[in-house]
Amino acid sequence: MTDTYAVEARDAVKEFGQGAGAVRALDTVSVAIRQGEFFTLLGPSGCGKTTLLRLIAGFDSPTSGTILLDGQDITDLPPNRRPVNTVFQSYALFPHLSVAENIGFGLEMLGRPKAEVEQRTAEMLALVKLEAMAGRKTAQLSGGQQQRVALARALAPKPKVLLLDEPLSALDLKLRKEMQGELKRLQLETGITFVFVTHDQEEALTMSDRIGVMSGGRILQIGSPREIYARPTNRFVADFIGETNFIPARIRGGAAHLAGGVELKIGQSRADGAATLAVRPEHLRLVPQGMAGALSATVSHSVYFGTDSHVHLKLLDGTELVARQQTDPDGAGEPKPGAVVGISFAPGAVQVLED
Amino acid sequence: MSTSENRQNTRAARNAWLLSTPALVILTLAATGPLMIMFVYSFLTPGKYGNVEWQFSTDAWRGILFTRDIFDNTLKLADAHLTIFWRSVKLSILTTIFTFIVGFPTAWFIAMRPPASRALWLFLITIPFWTNLLIRTFAINQIIRNEGLLNTVLIKAGLIETPINIIYTDTAVFIGMTYVYLPLMVLPLFAAIDRFDLRLLEAGYDLYASRWQVLRRIILPIVRPGIVAGSILVFIPSLGAYVTPRILGGGRQMMIGNFIDLQFGQGRNWPLGASLSVLLLVIVALTLLVYVRVTAPEKTDG
Ligand SMILES: Nc1ncnc2c1ncn2[C@@H]1O[C@H](COP(=O)(O)OP(=O)(O)OP(=O)(O)O)[C@@H](O)[C@H]1O
Ligand SMILES: [Mg+2]
């Protein structure tokens, strides 16, 4: 790893339209993506993922802020002069060209000798396992095959960074799983920096080295999948990725005070005041009522999922929680609706959110 | 449904076309009748006062390219005819090229408008069709003749001293045909560009293509069916143009259409007129054949 980042956005702002009707699609986004990293932009529809990708590719220029590639300012460089390639959500394959011609297009435009173009095209065809389809027109391919051509076409010129805008969203579930593995393999084999866009949290968690969670034109948190999942720093991230229980609390003297006089040590140092605690359902433990340090709750109902069941609980102040429990073979340990139980937390499972 | 019933239905459907026999007969006669007459006439001998005499002769076909010398009765290439053919082909090709050069940006412009205003632009393009061809051509005549609008303005503006002589030249015919046939180029081009997936432009730029390369390597090949259709639609009527060269070419700058007309009129050589007509038809048919070949979906290997 060198000391410059592969891609950087510094205080990037993108507004569409002018004056009162302007839409701020990106609001002062700063992100630094490392060399050779599989970086994922994750967020709900309309949060600005595509917009950020288009700024990096050069299809749009930022209203303000800068884009850097390998430490160099490329904000004013047109897309055809940026060593960055894109896998489009719609694939955007050239319908008048064969699979091989599509893959060789970039190198040909770069003016590479014919022999090199052909050799690299053959390599790419092998990499995405489409040797048999080289002469076909792209319209004669299945969705998954088109996807592979789009990938090969974007990888052929050996870009410094590959941008992928929800490349798997048009595929059915099975193919999608397959392509996820394939993408990861290609990224490792080529060592190219991938910037991957998705709104599927599972996809993001399983594939990425780091994830940037976006909402409303901002990047809310950047971290490894484990950090994002286990240590969400704000309510949106905690809620968007996986399921989370939110418990209101007061911070006083380095501890969180919950309803019913329960006090929890917290790892993070926080200013005193109101706060929200986030706890994953699998980190809630049901214990006998009245146990020291446990919250009291009433069981509303539970839902059986096979390997585990979700127990829906209600705290005294009305806060609703879900606890995930492994099931017993005979269902003996299952709490009955209306029962009053205690809830304790696994150590380190509680995350104090900034909101 | 039982098999016999099924078979009956199939037979009924198969025989239903018989009901359209009268229409087919009329169509066949209307389409081929005049052609047959022309074909037969082209092998007859001209009558003294027009019309034909029923005597077999291939003179009319030979007459397309050759004339008999009035003194020694030898066959010579008919230079005058060749000039007319060459002018027709040249002006038609020039018109096709020029309508494409003007029509492509126009069609692109219209296709990029928001859908609401696109209809208005297309309507504006078709406005010339709403007036009679003769009137439109006379209007052009008024503009480009020596005392016309163009020259008056240029002289008043002090840009030229004597009028530019455009009227009754090849240039005048070319200008007239370009004006008249431009919509025929724009409409099929628009239809093709409208179907063009603009995301391919970004894909092109992303893969290091310059603007020129995007135009040449992506846009033009994909909208090619529109280009071919537009070119055919302009080239074919240009080749047989009659009114435009007549009014703007002033009788001397004849094209094939006027030449054919001459044979049936003052020339009193109906068989030659007939053979020229058949020839024109063959050229048109060949052009269409090329069109079909070029636009047919390509066979693929693998
Ligand atoms: N060309 C444009 N003109 C006006 N507004 C735009 C334009 N492009 C994007 N926007 C707006 O900017 C915001 C962000 O859009 P963007 O396409 O980046 O979202 P996204 O995160 O990619 O969403 P999705 O997951 O649906 O693709 C949206 O509110 C969108 O309406
Ligand atoms: Mg998007």
Side-chain angles (χ1 to χ4, degrees):
Chain A
M1 198 185 289
T2 57
D3 47 0
T4 57
Y5 289 104
V7 194
E8 249 183 289
R10 288 192 191 153
D11 300 325
V13 173
K14 180 66 189 177
E15 283 179 353
F16 291 105
Q18 241 122 52
V23 179
R24 195 166 255 231
L26 280 184
D27 191 2
T28 343
V29 165
S30 293
V31 58
I33 297 164
R34 295 172 191 145
Q35 305 279 0
E37 181 169 49
F38 195 118
F39 190 93
T40 299
L41 291 168
L42 174 67
S45 187
C47 70
K49 306 180 295 288
T50 299
T51 306
L52 180 53
L53 224 54
R54 291 175 60 83
L55 291 192
I56 299 173
F59 300 135
D60 285 322
S61 50
T63 310
S64 68
T66 44
I67 307 289
L68 292 94
L69 189 85
D70 266 351
Q72 284 179 336
D73 189 344
I74 56 160
T75 316
D76 298 320
L77 226 51
N80 56 350
R81 309 236 326 260
R82 298 185 185 200
V84 171
N85 287 136
T86 308
V87 177
F88 296 87
Q89 181 169 2
S90 58
Y91 310 149
L93 299 177
F94 302 126
H96 60 299
L97 300 180
S98 70
V99 168
E101 287 166 331
N102 262 281
I103 295 174
F105 190 86
L107 288 168
E108 211 182 307
M109 292 303 112
L110 284 171
R112 296 291 160 76
K114 204 160 179 259
E116 187 191 328
V117 175
E118 277 170 10
Q119 191 208 332
R120 182 84 183 137
T121 302
E123 268 173 47
M124 283 295 121
L125 282 168
L127 191 67
V128 296
K129 304 183 184 111
L130 281 178
E131 294 101 323
M133 309 281 169
R136 285 212 198 167
K137 284 280 156 66
T138 55
Q140 301 165 302
L141 301 179
S142 72
Q145 290 167 338
Q146 292 187 9
Q147 167 65 63
R148 278 171 227 254
V149 177
L151 254 173
R153 183 180 72 171
L155 283 171
K158 297 191 182 150
K160 291 226 167 84
V161 176
L162 188 74
L163 308 175
L164 304 102
D165 192 354
E166 308 204 22
L168 307 181
S169 62
L171 306 179
D172 61 43
L173 191 65
K174 187 164 171 292
L175 202 54
R176 201 179 164 128
K177 294 274 175 234
E178 211 177 294
M179 284 305 296
Q180 285 176 0
E182 194 101 326
L183 266 181
K184 192 71 197 169
R185 171 179 74 86
L186 286 173
Q187 198 259 336
L188 291 173
E189 270 176 38
T190 56
I192 291 173
T193 309
F194 276 33
V195 183
F196 181 87
V197 162
T198 182
H199 57 245
D200 179 336
Q201 42 143 325
E202 193 189 315
E203 200 164 275
L205 289 174
T206 55
M207 297 175 73
S208 322
D209 294 323
R210 285 197 306 155
I211 299 171
V213 184
M214 292 185 73
S215 169
R218 291 170 166 277
I219 295 192
L220 299 179
Q221 188 176 355
I222 298 174
S224 68
R226 189 172 289 277
E227 280 165 356
I228 295 279
Y229 186 81
R231 297 266 164 265
T233 55
N234 68 48
R235 191 176 181 125
F236 179 87
V237 176
D239 203 22
F240 188 70
I241 296 161
E243 285 161 67
T244 305
N245 294 302
F246 295 108
I247 306 168
R250 293 201 73 79
I251 307 289
R252 215 177 313 122
H257 296 262
L258 279 66
V262 176
E263 193 181 313
L264 280 175
K265 284 261 166 276
I266 51 170
Q268 304 135 292
S269 60
R270 273 299 142 85
D272 291 359
T276 302
L277 307 184
V279 192
R280 299 289 179 190
E282 63 270 28
H283 296 149
L284 284 185
R285 266 191 253 140
L286 299 190
V287 294
Q289 190 209 359
M291 213 172 100
L295 284 169
S296 282
T298 315
V299 177
S300 311
H301 63 279
S302 59
V303 184
Y304 179 70
F305 278 92
T307 56
D308 54 12
S309 62
H310 291 186
V311 183
H312 291 251
L313 303 148
K314 202 173 224 170
L315 295 184
L316 294 176
D317 63 359
T319 308
E320 289 182 9
L321 304 178
V322 178
R324 187 182 294 172
Q325 283 204 309
Q326 285 203 338
T327 44
D328 305 331
D330 54 359
E334 216 102 301
K336 303 279 170 299
V340 179
V341 295
I343 302 172
S344 80
F345 307 103
V350 179
Q351 183 69 8
V352 185
L353 303 178
E354 46 187 38
D355 52 356
Chain B
M1 198 185 283
S2 76
T3 330
S4 72
E5 217 177 314
N6 216 334
R7 203 175 293 145
Q8 225 161 17
N9 274 355
T10 328
R11 189 185 310 148
R14 212 183 285 141
N15 293 339
W17 72 271
L18 284 172
L19 290 174
S20 53
T21 318
L24 287 175
V25 168
I26 292 172
L27 266 178
T28 312
L29 283 180
T32 59
L35 290 181
M36 293 312 293
I37 293 174
M38 279 297 133
F39 189 72
V40 171
Y41 274 24
S42 72
F43 288 103
L44 297 178
T45 314
K48 235 198 183 96
Y49 308 103
N51 218 326
V52 286
E53 279 176 19
W54 284 88
Q55 192 180 353
F56 179 82
S57 159
T58 53
D59 278 0
W61 283 99
R62 206 175 300 126
I64 291 176
L65 286 181
F66 302 98
T67 50
R68 236 170 247 289
D69 194 289
I70 27 177
F71 298 112
D72 55 16
N73 214 23
T74 51
L75 276 179
K76 284 197 313 182
L77 264 185
D79 295 340
H81 298 190
L82 291 181
T83 312
I84 291 171
F85 299 153
W86 171 234
R87 177 182 300 118
S88 298
V89 171
K90 183 185 71 180
L91 286 178
S92 301
I93 290 175
L94 278 177
T95 303
T96 308
I97 292 172
F98 201 71
T99 48
F100 174 71
I101 292 172
V102 177
F104 188 83
T106 312
W108 187 271
F109 172 83
I110 298 174
M112 294 307 124
R113 293 307 98 195
S117 58
R118 224 179 274 171
L120 177 68
W121 284 104
L122 283 176
F123 171 73
L124 290 178
I125 285 289
T126 55
I127 277 186
F129 284 149
W130 295 59
T131 13
N132 183 282
L133 172 63
L134 205 58
I135 296 167
R136 274 184 287 154
T137 315
F138 269 118
I140 293 267
N141 186 324
Q142 290 304 305
I143 292 172
I144 62 176
R145 72 198 167 96
N146 289 4
E147 305 79 30
L149 187 67
L150 183 71
N151 279 310
T152 313
V153 168
L154 288 179
I155 290 172
K156 284 269 160 63
L159 291 171
I160 51 170
E161 291 191 346
T162 51
I164 312 171
N165 182 34
I166 304 174
I167 195 75
Y168 307 140
T169 62
D170 282 1
T171 313
V173 179
F174 165 66
I175 291 174
M177 292 206 302
T178 302
Y179 163 71
V180 168
Y181 296 128
L182 186 61
L184 296 179
M185 180 61 91
V186 171
L187 294 178
L189 278 180
F190 167 79
I193 294 171
D194 194 38
R195 278 195 308 265
F196 180 81
D197 180 359
L198 291 175
R199 289 174 296 197
L200 297 180
L201 298 184
E202 282 185 352
Y205 291 128
D206 189 62
L207 291 161
Y208 313 107
S210 63
R211 281 164 157 273
W212 167 245
Q213 283 170 320
V214 165
L215 176 68
R216 217 178 63 73
R217 301 292 304 271
I218 301 173
I219 301 173
L220 291 182
I222 293 178
V223 303
R224 192 178 64 166
I227 298 174
V228 177
S231 303
I232 297 275
L233 284 181
V234 171
F235 183 78
I236 288 178
S238 295
L239 202 60
Y242 173 74
V243 172
T244 312
R246 177 73 184 264
I247 294 171
L248 300 175
R252 262 177 305 147
Q253 309 300 321
M254 259 192 270
M255 288 178 59
I256 297 178
N258 313 94
F259 190 49
I260 292 173
D261 173 57
L262 185 72
Q263 305 313 321
F264 285 102
Q266 294 161 326
R268 288 185 199 158
N269 194 343
W270 286 26
L272 180 58
S275 63
L276 285 167
S277 304
V278 175
L279 179 71
L280 187 60
L281 191 81
V282 169
I283 295 174
V284 167
L286 287 178
T287 317
L288 285 174
L289 202 69
V290 170
Y291 169 69
V292 172
R293 275 285 160 77
V294 170
T295 53
E298 278 174 59
K299 285 206 190 78
T300 43
D301 44 319

